[in-house]
Amino acid sequence: MGTVVERERKFSGDDGFRLPDLAGCGGVATVSDATALELDAVYWDTDDLRLLRSGHALRRRTGGHDAGWHLKVGAVGGARVEHQFPAGASDAGPPAELVALIRGASRGRPVAPAARIVNHRRERRLLDSGGRVLAEVAEDDVRSEDLVDGTTQSWHEVEVELIDGDEDLLDAVAARLSGAGAREVPVSKSHRAVAHRLARVDDRPPADAAGPVIGYAREQRDTIVANHAAAYQGDEDAVHDMRVAVRRLRATLRTFRGLWARRESEAARAELRWLGGELGAVRDHQVMAARLAAAMHELPDELVLGPVAARIGERFAADLAKAITALRAALDSDRYPELLTRLDRLLDGTAGEVDGRWTDRRIRRAVRRADERLDRALAGGGPAGDAALHEARKKYKAARYAVEVRQAAAGKPAARLVKRFKRLQDLLGTHQDSVVTREVLLRHALRAYAEGENTFTYGLLHARQAETAGHDLPAVLRARDRARRRRVRRWLTR
């Protein structure tokens, strides 16, 4: 299975639209002659179009240079990840490898043919003066059929996809096309093919005081789903983003738990904690391996005694492989789509009736709890104090997420407070990282000692991590004071 990142934009014009000359546009020197292609694609989805609603497109296409199964993840107009798999002689359904990547979006439900799109394409390449292909421009005469209710449509579309060009080129081509009368299309062909069925689904959050909370929670659920495919493959950024979304969602369900039936919201939080644990095991190994590699790089060669770097690399590689295998097993289990289905019932169902004052009180309470927890932590010391600082960090995360709910409405004041909380949270995180790193180094040193290896370098790294932790606390105090300034929080009491 191959994976590519696709950056493209789509445009539609009236019947009389003609493709303008794109030479001289954003570094384009010449435009190749058109190559004609006949493309025929069947798109698969659940009966309620969960894939399309989640920004996924799964198709089996014949014709063209990349015939086979394709899974696209991401919104049209941005960078989309495309997973490609060769088609078999008589495919009865998508290959298991792709089914695993849509398990979050489909909620584990079966997929079936949803739409067919037949496309007569005229494809041109945009080249620079050296003959390098900057982009491809495709003129498409499209005919679609909804394979559920038989609705048919036809339209003309222009698709611009970057190859070796950059976003400036894409902007320049878009401006040239717009000047010729084209209009940018924000949705995919498959979306247009079943648009009338999608229109029956109202995914907008309620327009009441609970709306911002519901909308924020749905964004986190959708982020989990959007990162599923890449996280399944162990991508560091996707694992991180998916884990943060789980944290945000857990915190939101707790901070604003009066909006939902207590038993259901707590059950969802418990399952999110399980998923976060599986993601955390992968992410923690990734972060710790990078942290120790950087620490080793800073040491002079004469202070590295024994195969320290090799041992650390080997052990983290083995542990990371185990964690990724466990994460895939979790995402392949029935428990994972059941969690997402539970979240759908919770977030898409009827929420409790509250007013704006109730929401603001909940936000203020989250902020107050974080302040109190940090004050208690700073009054302590030693290992117990380290644990308390870690708990304070988690409380500030919850407070930050609560403020983010109001950020769109409150504007700059809320954004400023989010930024101050982020700074404080990062400093507390650096302190916690030093604590965890010392624990890891101690384990590695004991193992090295048992195997008869020199442990000097482990001890040196341990001492440097302890020294770093000592330098963090004054910065924490300064960040705490900045986050508590009246002008930064005044808006919370209005």
Side-chain angles (χ1 to χ4, degrees), residues 332-400:
D332 282 333
S333 71
D334 291 339
R335 189 174 179 180
Y336 172 64
E338 287 170 1
L339 162 60
L340 293 173
T341 301
R342 182 187 293 273
L343 290 172
D344 293 339
R345 290 196 302 267
L346 203 64
L347 303 180
D348 298 337
T350 302
E353 294 185 7
V354 297
D355 57 23
R357 290 176 297 176
W358 181 89
T359 303
D360 289 344
R361 283 197 302 271
R362 291 283 175 164
I363 296 173
R364 288 195 296 269
R365 182 185 299 176
V367 171
R368 184 174 65 252
R369 284 175 172 171
D371 290 341
E372 292 171 350
R373 185 62 64 92
L374 179 59
D375 289 343
R376 291 200 300 270
L378 291 173
D386 290 337
L389 286 171
H390 181 48
E391 290 302 314
R393 180 195 181 203
K394 291 194 288 187
K395 290 296 182 184
Y396 272 112
K397 284 182 180 180
R400 172 187 158 202

Side-chain angles (χ1 to χ4, degrees), residues 81-100:
V81 178
E82 180 175 318
H83 306 273
Q84 301 174 344
F85 198 88
S90 58
D91 292 318
E97 291 87 347
L98 289 184
V99 172

Side-chain angles (χ1 to χ4, degrees), residues 207-480:
D208 56 18
V213 180
I214 301 296
Y216 183 82
R218 288 180 183 176
E219 286 177 14
Q220 310 319 313
R221 174 199 61 190
D222 295 344
T223 298
I224 293 171
V225 172
N227 284 282
H228 167 93
Y232 188 88
Q233 297 172 317
D235 179 84
E236 291 190 18
D237 291 337
V239 171
H240 171 72
D241 291 347
M242 195 172 181
R243 185 189 189 188
V244 171
V246 167
R247 285 174 171 169
R248 280 191 165 106
L249 191 46
R250 284 192 71 224
T252 301
L253 291 176
R254 187 182 191 282
T255 300
F256 304 98
R257 59 188 175 190
L259 285 176
W260 304 281
R262 183 68 171 270
R263 178 178 295 180
E264 281 300 305
S265 64
E266 288 303 305
R269 289 189 72 246
E271 290 300 277
L272 285 167
R273 182 176 183 177
W274 158 74
L275 178 59
E278 299 293 340
L279 292 161
V282 175
R283 184 61 182 159
D284 289 346
H285 287 309
Q286 292 170 336
V287 171
M288 187 58 63
R291 182 179 178 87
L292 287 178
M296 287 290 302
H297 182 72
E298 293 173 359
L299 290 180
D301 291 343
E302 63 270 18
L303 296 182
V304 180
L305 305 183
V308 182
R311 291 289 182 265
I312 289 176
E314 291 167 2
R315 290 161 188 165
F316 271 110
D319 291 343
L320 178 58
K322 291 178 182 177
I324 291 176
T325 298
L327 174 61
R328 286 177 177 164
L331 298 179
D332 282 333
S333 71
D334 291 339
R335 189 174 179 180
Y336 172 64
E338 287 170 1
L339 162 60
L340 293 173
T341 301
R342 182 187 293 273
L343 290 172
D344 293 339
R345 290 196 302 267
L346 203 64
L347 303 180
D348 298 337
T350 302
E353 294 185 7
V354 297
D355 57 23
R357 290 176 297 176
W358 181 89
T359 303
D360 289 344
R361 283 197 302 271
R362 291 283 175 164
I363 296 173
R364 288 195 296 269
R365 182 185 299 176
V367 171
R368 184 174 65 252
R369 284 175 172 171
D371 290 341
E372 292 171 350
R373 185 62 64 92
L374 179 59
D375 289 343
R376 291 200 300 270
L378 291 173
D386 290 337
L389 286 171
H390 181 48
E391 290 302 314
R393 180 195 181 203
K394 291 194 288 187
K395 290 296 182 184
Y396 272 112
K397 284 182 180 180
R400 172 187 158 202
Y401 302 153
V403 173
E404 285 176 348
V405 168
R406 288 272 280 121
Q407 189 169 335
K412 289 184 178 180
R416 187 180 298 115
L417 184 56
V418 166
K419 186 176 180 180
R420 300 286 173 89
F421 282 165
K422 178 68 164 58
R423 171 61 177 164
L424 185 54
Q425 170 192 321
D426 287 346
L427 287 168
L428 292 170
T430 299
H431 181 84
Q432 176 63 15
D433 287 345
S434 74
V435 173
V436 175
T437 303
R438 279 176 276 162
E439 294 173 353
V440 171
L441 286 168
L442 180 58
R443 290 198 299 271
H444 280 283
L446 291 172
R447 185 170 177 178
Y449 178 79
E451 295 174 357
E453 295 176 356
N454 194 308
T455 62
F456 169 82
T457 303
Y458 295 104
L460 179 59
L461 290 170
H462 189 283
R464 289 194 171 192
Q465 290 296 321
E467 183 181 9
T468 300
H471 290 313
D472 289 342
L473 291 180
V476 168
L477 293 173
R478 291 192 296 271
R480 176 202 62 183

